Amino acid sequence: MCQVTDEQIIEILRQEAVPALGCTEPVACALACARCREELGDIPEELEVWVSGNIYKNGMGVGIPGTGMTGLPIAAALGAVCGRSEYGLEVLKDVSEGDNLEKARCLVEAQKVRVKMKQDAPDKLYAEAIARKGKEVVRTVIVHAHTNIVWVEKNGEILFRKEYSLLCQNKKDRPELSIARIWTFIHEIALEKIEFVLQGAEMNKAISAEGLKAAYGLQIGRTLKENIEKGLLEDDLLNNALIWATAASDARMDGCEKPVMTNSGSGNQGITVILPVVVAAERFGSSREQLARALALSNLIAAHIHYYLGHLSALCGILIAGTGSASAITYLMGGNYEQVVNTIKTMCSNLTGMMCDGAKQGCALKVYSGVSAAVQAALLSMRGIKTNNDGIIEDDIEKTIRNVGLIGTAGMEQTDRTILEIMTQKEGKN
C-alpha cells in the first residue's frame, strides 16, 4: 500500500465533514428532485422516486427541517419545489421562504409524489427521481454518496453522465488510511491546514444549544441537564458530553432548521464525532490547537472505519463515530498511540452489533450509548486497561477494523433485510 500524502488526508477530511440540513437520506431524495426541477424549468406536476432499502429505512420516520412533518414524500416534494442542487446536503435550506412548504404539501396531499423501494438497487445508497410536467420528463440518479449525481436525462436525452461502477465495486475512489498514518498526520500537519474542522464544532454546538432550549424529540439532553440542576446527576465530563450530543441529535431528528457538520454522510455521526471532543477539551483546558488536532483525529478515525462499511449498513454508525471521539478524548488526556489503539479496540468490543433500524427520534438514544461508551473507553485506556486478543478483536488494529467492517456488511445482510421487512410491514398496517 502506497503512503497516503498529507494532501490526500486533508481532502478526505474535507469530503467526509460537510454541512447538512436535515437527515441525509431524505436530503439525497430532495437533491435528486431538485435537479429534476432545474432541468424542467418549473415545479413538476408529478414525482416518482425510487430508493434503496437503506434510504427507505432511514427516511420513514425522520423529521424534515422546518415542516413539522416526517418522511421521504415531503422531502422529495420540497426538493422539487424549492431545492437547489448547488446547496448539496443543504438543499432544503430555502424551505421556510414564501409559500414553498404549502406548495410541497399540496403535491403530497394530492398524491402526486410516489416513493417506492427499488429491490434491485445497485448500491445501498441509491435515489432516483422522475419528474413530469406536461410532456416533459426528467430523470436524475444519485448513487454511492448522498450528493453523487451520476445521471440526468430529459425526454430520453442524456444531459449528464458520470461513471460510478468503480465506486460501487471497489474502493479506488479514496486512498486507504491506517490508524498509524492518521496518528502521525495529526501530530505533524501544520495547524492552519486543518483549522477548518473548528467550523464543525461551532455548527454542532449551535444546534445542541437549540436542542436544550425547546422540546425537541425525546428531550434526552434537557432531561439530563435538569437532573444535574436537581442534584441527581453529577456535573462531570460524561454527563456534559451526553447532554451536548443528545440535545443536538434530539433537535436534528425532530426537524430543527439548523445545519449539522456531518461525518461520513451522517449528521448524528458528525454530532458524535465532534461534540464529546469539544466538551472534553473545555473540561481539560485544552488549547485551540489541541482541539483542532483532536477533531481531525476523531473525524479521520471514523472515516477510516467507514471505509470498510460504506455510508449505509445494518450496523449503527454511532459505534464508528463514538470510536472517533473516544480516540480524540484519549489524545486530549495525554494518551499515546498504544492507548488510542486500545481505546479503539475497547469500543469495537463494546458496541459492534448495535443495529440501525432507521433514522428517527430514537437515534438520540443510540448517540447516548455511543458517547457514554466513548468516555468510558478513554478512561479505561488511560488506566492501562485493554481488551485482549479475543472475539473479533485482534492484536493488529487494522485487522480489528476490517473485522468490524465485515460484520457490518456481509455479516449483517440478513439482519438488514429483516429490519426492513419489519418496518415496512408495520408501515403497511398504519
Side-chain angles (χ1 to χ4, degrees), residues 110-398:
Q111 298 185 339
K112 298 297 183 181
V113 182
R114 297 182 298 279
V115 180
K116 303 176 183 179
M117 187 163 43
K118 189 175 179 66
Q119 300 293 344
D120 59 345
D123 193 82
K124 288 182 179 293
L125 201 164
Y126 180 91
E128 173 186 349
I130 302 168
R132 297 180 174 89
K133 184 173 177 63
K135 296 181 179 180
E136 304 285 296
V137 181
V138 176
R139 174 173 172 261
T140 298
V141 177
I142 290 174
V143 177
H144 187 66
H146 295 83
T147 59
N148 189 42
I149 295 174
V150 300
W151 189 278
V152 182
E153 68 176 60
K154 183 175 183 180
N155 301 328
E157 178 186 352
I158 300 171
L159 304 180
F160 176 79
R161 181 178 183 178
K162 177 181 177 182
E163 180 60 47
Y164 68 89
S165 59
L166 286 178
L167 299 180
C168 301
Q169 294 170 9
N170 57 51
K171 302 181 182 303
K172 291 182 180 178
D173 57 315
R174 203 185 80 186
E176 188 175 0
L177 287 169
S178 69
I179 301 301
R181 180 67 183 95
I182 293 169
W183 183 254
T184 300
F185 171 83
I186 67 115
H187 282 86
E188 295 181 354
I189 193 69
L191 173 62
E192 59 268 21
K193 292 187 177 182
I194 57 169
E195 280 182 311
F196 62 88
V197 298
L198 295 170
Q199 298 170 6
E202 295 306 313
M203 185 176 292
N204 290 1
K205 283 169 66 177
I207 193 170
S208 180
E210 181 64 24
L212 291 173
K213 288 179 186 176
Y216 286 104
L218 300 180
Q219 303 183 59
I220 299 171
R222 293 184 84 197
T223 301
L224 292 171
K225 189 171 185 294
E226 287 171 3
N227 280 287
I228 287 176
E229 292 166 354
K230 291 177 182 178
L232 298 178
L233 293 174
E234 290 295 324
D235 184 9
D236 57 15
L237 168 63
L238 174 57
N239 283 322
N240 278 278
L242 290 170
I243 287 168
W244 281 92
T246 57
S249 182
D250 275 330
R252 177 176 179 268
M253 303 316 286
D254 203 21
C256 177
E257 291 186 71
K258 286 186 178 293
V260 168
M261 186 62 76
T262 65
N263 179 275
S264 303
S266 166
N268 278 329
Q269 290 175 58
I271 287 166
T272 305
V273 157
I274 291 171
L275 288 178
V277 181
V278 173
V279 171
E282 291 178 356
R283 284 272 157 168
F284 303 151
S286 304
S287 67
R288 183 174 180 275
E289 177 174 350
Q290 288 172 321
L291 174 59
R293 295 188 185 280
L295 289 173
L297 176 66
S298 184
N299 275 283
L300 286 168
I301 285 180
H304 174 47
I305 300 172
H306 263 293
Y307 182 87
Y308 301 100
L309 276 166
H311 284 170
L312 295 175
S313 78
L315 189 67
C316 178
I318 294 304
L319 156 68
I320 293 102
T323 302
S325 63
S327 303
I329 292 169
T330 304
Y331 162 79
L332 288 172
M333 294 175 74
N336 58 30
Y337 174 74
E338 289 303 323
Q339 287 169 315
V340 167
V341 166
N342 290 337
T343 296
I344 295 170
K345 289 181 179 181
T346 298
M347 288 294 292
C348 293
S349 209
N350 186 357
L351 293 185
T352 298
M354 185 166 69
M355 68 182 188
C356 170
D357 58 340
K360 59 199 177 306
Q361 291 183 353
C363 287
L365 290 168
K366 295 184 178 181
V367 170
Y368 181 101
S369 297
V371 172
S372 178
V375 174
Q376 292 168 10
L379 294 174
L380 288 171
S381 185
M382 291 303 295
R383 196 171 183 270
I385 298 171
K386 60 183 179 180
T387 306
N388 294 320
N389 183 25
D390 54 18
I392 65 167
I393 308 304
E394 304 205 28
D395 288 331
D396 185 335
I397 186 58
E398 298 303 327

